[in-house]
Amino acid sequence: MPPAKKRRTSGGPVREYGQGTLSSHFGLQASQGGATGAEGTQEGAEHIAELSITADEPDGDGDEETAPPWAGMDPYYQRVFDEALDTVLEHESHLFDSGDLALIQRYKNAGADGQKLLVRLFSRSWKWLRLSSLSKYTEIDLPCAYASLCSSGFADEEPSSLSELLNLMSSPELKALAKQTQLVTTLQSRWTKPEYIDAIIAHTATQTLLIGDPVERTKTRVKKILGPILRLDQTAGDLFERTMMLYFRSLDLIERPMVAGILSLVERWTFPEYEVKRFPNMFPTREASVEYYQALQLHARIEKLVERKKVEDCLEHLDEIQAMWESLLMAADADAFSTERKSYFLIQFTPVRVFTMLLTNFALNILPSVKLYDRATTIIHMLLSQQHYGWGSRGKWWDQLSHLTLNYSDAVQEREERALEFCVEAVRDPLVRAGWLVRVRRRLERVAKKLWERKQMESQDGLKSKKGSKKLLAIISGWEALIPGDIRHRLIDRTIREPGLEVCEGVRIDHRELGRKSTWLVEGEDLDVDDDAETANGEDGDPQSNETETSQEITVEEVAMRHYAKQGYNGLHVENALFHHIFGLLFYEVLYATSPQCPHVFQTRYQTHPLDFFTDEFYMGREPAISARCHEIETARIDDLVADCAAMDIALRDRRVKGVGLAWDAMTHDQFVEILSCVQVPALGTVMRRMAEAYRDHCGGLPDLVLWDATTSPKRIKLVEVKGPGDRLSEKQIMWMDILGCCGWDIDVCKVEEKAKKTLPIPVKKVAKRAARKRK
């Protein structure tokens, strides 16, 4: 193995490209994903393909007659593809057999244009395409590339069915073909494209010819209209996608593995500094890598079916998945199931981990949606019986098991007792994290109260008719006796504390639509309805047609911020960004340091986080370093902490580094420093510890607003969750309310209520003026 290389990604001007596109974890790397052939995520693949069309064009106008510096270089997508292919061949050639190597060599011999077209096809969804539809790729000589791919066997040239050919045609072309085949009906002008295709196929099937096949004749006509067509060969696509999976160490194939690499070059991302070191024995054999890749393919296929709500198709795979999970779990070597820190990270790259994730989805979402509660319960018991996979999911399993038992168990008389037992076992399970303990705590309390009340009702004569009596209330209040003493120490700090409640009012604009956030009018400013109502409602009385600043439309969060501004607070609507940004700065060195306990977590130059970041291995492998850092934070002087964070923020902000949690657009440097100067250091340290323990469980649900006042002594800071009419707190928001309240943060829930439920009327005089203008 060659020596590890210390590398630093060069910076450059960064064009913001929707941080939510790649990851739901605040700018984290999207290399943990991909697509699976035609079953993959078509929209994401098409987007990356379109984005990289102009990836190599220079910024600015420039001189058209002067060759740009990028001239003669391979396109960005080509560079990422070749880098991944060459790296895997160099370090992990044992994962390819002679057939794989021969196919890769054919790619090397395909010529520059053939290679570019192949990578373009690979980056898209693997479906039939007209060569003319690829004309936008001006860097490719398409006829030459087409001939090269067809001759080397990388492209299929002809669909087998008439339906596939017709689907490639446009609606005008289908209409013209229908006329050529003498397919004319009175409703033809109203047909959609699928209706045209079905009608042409049905019409062709009814034709009879003295010589020849009518279907073949129609196919010949269609091919003449379409011109050259092609599709990436499935075998080649699978090989290259497995190679990308190996290079990027993908944990799923929901998005293309190449996304992070391409966008990093297109957007000129600056990555954190870390030591890249490939681990060649991640997969011991070719068979192991193929089995893992096939498991990822199945996972992507199931996710696609769930997205399309094809539950019955999902259920057809359940028996197969469960059987494979059980057989692999039993056949696995005992050393592979070691709970040592190093082993747990490596077994994330095994088929059993993928099947565990699939079974979790079936038990929590798919089976309950079709009322197969017994099957879901059986799967959860099976998952809980092992402790080698899904450590971060055990809280979900216990919570779902208690829910299904309490509401759907066949043993009706024992539902409450069994549900309480499962809640108790969940609290005793050391692998259940703090986030899920809040949810389990709430369910345990509800079940215990209900069970205690029933038992007291059964044991006391005549109490059923005296439900409001003080004696009954005294008896029912003893439900805590049902909770075993050995678990109370895990619940005492998890007791949900009610945050402060603030109520404010606003005028809501009455254009309520499903999926659209509510809009409100500015409260407390001079709003003359007679002068501004026409602007607020639009020229035709439509509130959506407002396009000027005089409408004064604001969001529900802005209503709350204006309310608190009257109390002297500055405010920002940051949601999760503030604490994630602080975490990214305070733990920057821990995140990207080379650790002997975690030697295999940086294996490509396109990473924004360690490979084990979203697993329990992250905290376990760095527990001493994380604990020491948390202690430093909790005992630091506020001035020193602010100075350290400010220096780190400036150093990374200037280069727009893409690191864990770093949210450069959420606030300015001055705002960040002022906010940080208002916090209580011990309270901040507790939050950072929670996030380090289980970042995945704690990456969402933080309060909407951060409010601060640095002019008072002591300085004030408040976190506020804003709720409009009909909104309520989610489980994650309740968890964060609990954690933040316990460690001393000032927390509010601000309920914004409607001051007036009406659509602003258009004044009569303006209606008259508008009518006069129309008459003219």
Side-chain angles (χ1 to χ4, degrees):
M1 187 188 344
K5 298 179 181 179
K6 184 78 172 181
R7 72 102 182 97
R8 175 176 175 174
T9 307
S10 59
V14 178
R15 298 187 292 272
E16 283 307 306
Y17 177 74
Q19 286 185 318
T21 302
L22 287 182
S23 176
S24 60
H25 300 289
F26 311 96
L28 300 184
Q29 170 187 333
S31 65
Q32 305 300 328
T36 309
E39 298 288 344
T41 307
Q42 178 178 348
E43 296 177 0
E46 297 291 346
H47 178 68
I48 296 303
E50 296 297 327
L51 178 65
S52 56
I53 291 175
T54 58
D56 298 289
E57 295 182 0
D59 293 331
D61 297 332
D63 187 356
E64 295 181 359
E65 298 181 357
T66 304
W70 49 269
M73 297 176 60
D74 290 333
Y76 285 170
Y77 61 86
Q78 184 79 21
R79 282 179 249 166
V80 174
F81 184 89
D82 287 343
E83 176 185 343
L85 184 61
D86 294 340
T87 301
V88 174
L89 286 175
E90 177 185 357
H91 295 277
E92 298 169 273
S93 59
H94 64 283
L95 301 180
F96 301 92
D97 60 15
S98 58
D100 298 334
L101 296 175
L103 193 150
I104 293 173
Q105 189 58 46
R106 294 209 315 269
Y107 163 76
K108 298 286 187 180
N109 298 333
D113 291 304
Q115 292 177 7
K116 292 175 186 177
L117 182 57
L118 186 145
V119 180
R120 283 292 190 188
L121 295 176
F122 175 75
S123 300
R124 301 170 65 103
S125 56
W126 303 347
K127 62 181 182 181
W128 288 105
L129 297 169
R130 301 171 69 166
L131 191 64
S132 59
S133 68
L134 305 176
S135 59
K136 55 195 171 186
Y137 302 143
T138 56
E139 78 277 12
I140 304 175
D141 183 346
L142 288 177
C144 177
Y146 176 75
S148 175
L149 292 188
C150 292
S151 62
S152 59
F154 283 118
D156 301 328
E157 301 178 63
E158 181 179 333
S160 58
S161 68
L162 177 59
S163 176
E164 289 178 308
L165 284 169
L166 292 174
N167 270 297
L168 293 174
M169 300 179 70
S170 64
S171 295
E173 289 172 334
L174 286 170
K175 186 176 181 179
L177 179 64
K179 290 182 179 180
Q180 291 178 12
T181 57
Q182 300 180 352
L183 176 61
V184 180
T185 68
T186 56
L187 299 177
Q188 184 174 335
S189 61
R190 302 179 183 178
W191 282 356
T192 62
K193 182 176 179 178
E195 289 173 331
Y196 266 113
I197 293 174
D198 293 340
I200 292 173
I201 293 174
H203 180 68
T204 302
T206 60
Q207 291 180 329
T208 56
L209 299 176
L210 294 176
I211 301 174
D213 183 358
V215 175
E216 291 300 322
R217 185 181 69 171
T218 304
K219 289 173 67 174
T220 303
R221 284 181 177 178
V222 174
K223 292 176 189 176
K224 188 175 181 180
I225 297 171
L226 293 174
I229 57 177
L230 75 165
R231 181 182 65 181
L232 181 65
D233 176 69
Q234 185 70 37
T235 302
D238 286 340
L239 173 62
F240 290 130
E241 188 169 51
R242 179 164 64 92
T243 304
M244 296 302 111
M245 178 270 294
L246 292 171
Y247 177 73
F248 288 101
R249 302 307 191 203
S250 303
L251 290 172
D252 60 56
L253 293 179
I254 304 303
E255 293 180 351
R256 294 285 189 192
M258 287 177 58
V259 168
I262 291 175
L263 287 182
S264 67
L265 297 179
V266 173
E267 299 294 329
R268 299 189 177 101
W269 287 358
T270 300
F271 289 96
E273 297 179 10
Y274 52 79
E275 185 179 6
V276 177
K277 188 175 182 180
R278 295 294 294 185
F279 179 54
N281 297 321
M282 185 74 78
F283 299 94
T285 63
R286 178 183 182 276
E287 290 70 23
S289 69
V290 171
E291 289 176 358
Y292 178 64
Y293 172 65
Q294 291 174 344
L296 293 182
Q297 284 184 309
L298 179 58
H299 172 252
R301 194 175 305 123
I302 295 295
E303 291 295 325
K304 196 69 176 179
L305 292 173
V306 171
E307 181 182 342
R308 296 172 179 172
K309 298 182 179 180
K310 296 184 177 181
V311 178
E312 294 299 327
D313 293 338
C314 293
L315 295 178
E316 293 178 0
H317 298 278
L318 179 55
D319 291 336
E320 174 192 4
I321 294 171
Q322 184 173 340
M324 288 189 294
W325 185 85
E326 291 176 340
S327 62
L328 288 173
L329 196 65
M330 293 176 61
D333 184 70
D335 293 338
F337 291 123
S338 171
T339 56
E340 296 178 1
R341 293 172 179 173
K342 181 178 177 180
S343 302
Y344 185 74
F345 168 65
L346 295 180
I347 64 175
Q348 302 306 300
F349 298 89
T350 60
V352 193
R353 194 270 308 173
V354 182
F355 295 144
T356 302
M357 185 166 52
L358 281 170
L359 290 175
T360 299
N361 194 12
F362 273 102
L364 269 60
N365 304 308
I366 300 175
L367 291 172
S369 69
V370 290
K371 300 183 180 181
L372 296 176
Y373 305 117
D374 291 341
R375 183 71 183 274
T377 302
T378 301
I379 291 176
I380 295 176
H381 278 295
M382 183 177 64
L383 291 170
L384 286 169
S385 65
Q386 55 82 39
Q387 294 188 348
H388 311 301
Y389 296 93
W391 289 357
S393 298
R394 293 186 70 83
K396 302 177 188 178
W397 299 340
W398 283 115
D399 183 69
Q400 180 74 343
L401 181 60
S402 61
H403 166 69
L404 294 176
T405 302
L406 182 62
N407 295 282
Y408 306 109
S409 174
D410 293 335
V412 178
Q413 299 299 324
E414 301 176 1
R415 284 181 177 180
E416 293 160 359
E417 288 87 345
R418 295 181 62 189
L420 183 64
E421 291 175 5
F422 293 141
C423 289
V424 170
E425 291 302 316
V427 178
R428 287 173 175 161
D429 192 336
L431 296 176
V432 176
R433 299 304 181 192
W436 283 100
L437 278 180
V438 174
R439 190 162 181 168
V440 172
R441 167 69 173 85
R442 289 168 61 85
R443 189 180 301 280
L444 185 146
E445 181 175 333
R446 291 196 302 268
V447 174
K449 285 181 178 179
K450 190 173 182 179
L451 179 60
W452 181 264
E453 179 179 357
R454 179 171 63 82
K455 287 185 174 181
Q456 296 304 311
M457 288 288 189
E458 294 173 353
S459 61
Q460 300 293 328
D461 295 334
L463 285 179
K464 290 185 179 182
S465 60
K466 302 177 183 179
K467 289 189 176 181
S469 66
K470 293 183 179 180
K471 181 179 180 182
L472 176 60
L473 293 175
I475 293 174
I476 295 177
S477 64
W479 61 270
E480 295 91 343
L482 295 177
I483 300 177
D486 64 315
I487 68 168
R488 293 181 184 176
H489 72 284
R490 292 203 76 190
L491 296 175
I492 188 170
D493 293 331
R494 310 289 192 269
T495 302
I496 298 170
R497 291 165 172 79
E498 292 295 330
L501 178 62
E502 192 83 8
V503 179
C504 63
E505 294 182 335
V507 179
R508 184 174 182 177
I509 298 177
D510 197 13
H511 52 45
R512 307 175 190 189
E513 297 178 10
L514 185 63
R516 179 175 177 176
K517 290 195 68 173
S518 62
T519 53
W520 303 70
L521 289 179
V522 172
E523 185 73 1
E525 296 189 10
D526 295 330
L527 180 62
D528 188 345
V529 175
D530 289 340
D531 293 335
D532 296 333
E534 183 175 4
T535 303
N537 281 1
E539 191 68 23
D540 299 318
D542 181 7
Q544 299 184 36
S545 64
N546 168 38
E547 295 179 356
T548 66
E549 294 180 359
T550 56
S551 66
Q552 304 179 47
E553 291 187 13
I554 59 176
T555 64
V556 67
E557 290 83 9
E558 289 174 304
V559 174
M561 281 196 290
R562 289 174 180 271
H563 171 76
Y564 281 101
K566 298 174 183 178
Q567 304 176 21
Y569 284 105
N570 299 306
L572 282 177
H573 179 200
V574 294
E575 294 186 355
N576 307 289
L578 173 63
F579 285 109
H580 284 273
H581 191 73
I582 296 174
F583 180 85
L585 296 177
L586 291 177
F587 285 85
Y588 188 85
E589 295 182 358
V590 175
L591 286 163
Y592 302 106
T594 301
S595 171
Q597 289 76 27
C598 307
H600 312 307
V601 296
F602 293 108
Q603 300 198 37
T604 77
R605 65 188 185 95
Y606 301 113
Q607 292 182 222
T608 60
H609 61 278
L611 289 175
D612 64 344
F613 185 61
F614 292 111
T615 72
D616 296 273
E617 172 73 11
F618 173 76
Y619 178 75
M620 289 167 38
R622 301 166 181 81
E623 187 172 1
I626 291 174
S627 297
R629 185 61 178 142
C630 290
H631 179 72
E632 291 175 4
I633 296 170
E634 292 166 350
T635 58
R637 294 177 59 251
I638 184 62
D639 294 339
D640 296 337
L641 190 67
V642 171
D644 291 344
C645 283
M648 180 71 74
D649 185 84
I650 291 175
L652 300 181
R653 187 182 292 267
D654 290 344
R655 296 184 289 125
R656 305 284 289 187
V657 173
K658 289 280 185 179
V660 170
L662 301 179
W664 305 119
D665 296 325
M667 67 206 87
T668 66
H669 172 74
D670 292 339
Q671 287 174 331
F672 171 69
V673 171
E674 190 170 283
I675 293 170
L676 192 61
S677 68
C678 298
V679 305
Q680 299 294 321
V681 175
L684 179 64
T686 302
V687 175
M688 294 296 103
R689 187 182 296 274
R690 289 282 179 248
M691 295 180 71
E693 287 177 355
Y695 192 90
R696 182 188 294 275
D697 290 339
H698 296 91
C699 66
L702 284 152
D704 294 312
L705 308 180
V706 55
L707 307 169
W708 74 96
D709 182 5
T711 62
T712 61
S713 181
K715 298 177 180 180
R716 299 186 296 166
I717 188 168
K718 183 187 290 285
L719 303 174
V720 179
E721 182 65 38
V722 182
K723 293 299 175 185
D727 293 341
R728 63 180 183 178
L729 295 172
S730 68
E731 292 292 343
K732 278 198 172 182
Q733 289 169 343
I734 293 173
M735 174 201 70
W736 269 118
M737 292 286 177
D738 178 36
I739 293 174
L740 294 169
C742 287
C743 59
W745 289 87
D746 186 6
I747 310 294
D748 273 1
V749 173
C750 181
K751 293 187 176 181
V752 181
E753 298 179 348
E754 295 185 62
K755 188 174 184 179
K757 297 182 179 180
K758 63 180 180 179
T759 302
L760 292 180
I762 300 176
V764 176
K765 63 180 181 180
K766 294 204 171 184
V767 174
K769 289 180 181 180
R770 183 186 307 162
R773 287 196 300 267
K774 289 181 179 179
R775 285 195 297 269
K776 291 179 182 180

